[in-house]
Amino acid sequence: MWALVKADQVIRIINGPKAVTIEDVNHPATIFRSWTAEELKAIGIYPYSEQSTDTAFYRYSNSSYEIGADAVKQVWGDETAKDMDDVTVDDVTTLGLKSVWVNSTKSSSHSRLSSTDWYVTRLAEETTAVPSDVSTYRDAVRAACNTIETAINACADVNALKAMFVTPVDGDGKPTGNAPMYDWPDEL
């Protein structure tokens, strides 16, 4: 991506190579591949990047552009943590992070259980026993789901919730288990 800059102002963002008109001169899309950075800069085109964001947990506002000697970067002035709990305004409820991640956990649990649901159906319809390893696995999935949901609901703030996505490591940086958010039993 590139930014068109004129008089220390970003005029527009160019998302991909395409023909552009600058000061009544038409330039083909090929300039973005064939011209050097210096040649592009001479007509006001700079490489453009955006500040990385964590939109799963935060809202961003008040963006601005940092125009450097060789590049332009969009930066955010304000980062606000999303609400942890549901918020209802005028009968419209916006799910908070806890509800979003509890729902995601329930969905993961459902997906993990669905491959063995047929055993339970067969038991109900034909009284054929569910194999013990399947029962053990299903119990472990439900237990993991409950553990993860309890941990999510115990989070006091965004940092506590984000910590649930961190894989524990030993002193050498080697993983010692799963991140709490993904601590599911091995599939059958």
Side-chain angles (χ1 to χ4, degrees):
M1 291 187 358
W2 296 269
L4 177 58
V5 176
K6 185 175 181 180
D8 292 324
Q9 295 287 325
V10 173
I11 305 303
R12 76 173 183 215
I13 303 302
I14 304 166
N15 290 319
K18 61 182 174 183
V20 293
T21 301
I22 301 171
E23 309 246 346
D24 296 326
V25 176
N26 295 323
H27 299 278
T30 56
I31 67 170
F32 294 98
R33 289 186 295 276
S34 60
W35 287 20
T36 66
E38 287 301 315
E39 290 171 318
L40 290 170
K41 186 174 155 184
I43 62 169
I45 297 177
Y46 292 73
Y48 171 78
S49 64
E50 296 176 347
Q51 178 184 10
S52 62
T53 56
D54 189 354
T55 57
F57 298 99
Y58 299 96
R59 286 185 202 85
Y60 297 88
S61 59
N62 299 323
S63 70
S64 61
Y65 299 108
E66 289 180 354
I67 301 172
D70 296 313
V72 173
K73 183 175 184 177
Q74 178 197 36
V75 295
W76 294 99
D78 297 318
E79 175 185 83
T80 306
K82 291 183 178 178
D83 293 313
M84 291 294 290
D85 297 310
D86 297 351
V87 176
T88 302
V89 177
D90 296 328
D91 294 327
V92 176
T93 299
T94 301
L95 297 181
L97 290 173
K98 288 181 184 181
S99 290
V100 167
W101 288 106
V102 164
N103 290 344
S104 176
T105 300
K106 287 180 186 295
S107 178
S108 291
S109 176
H110 175 74
S111 293
R112 292 167 191 282
L113 292 172
S114 67
S115 66
T116 58
D117 282 348
W118 72 273
Y119 287 106
V120 177
T121 302
R122 183 180 70 176
L123 172 65
E125 292 177 354
E126 300 176 6
T127 65
T128 302
V130 175
S132 63
D133 62 331
V134 173
S135 290
T136 300
Y137 171 73
R138 290 176 66 85
D139 290 343
V141 168
R142 285 188 290 271
C145 183
N146 290 337
T147 299
I148 295 167
E149 285 181 37
T150 299
I152 291 168
N153 285 319
C155 291
D157 57 28
V158 169
N159 288 333
L161 184 59
K162 286 176 69 174
M164 290 189 61
F165 292 85
V166 177
T167 301
V169 295
D170 63 17
D172 296 326
K174 294 180 182 172
T176 59
N178 297 322
M181 186 64 77
Y182 304 116
D183 199 13
W184 296 98
D186 292 334
E187 294 190 28
L188 290 177

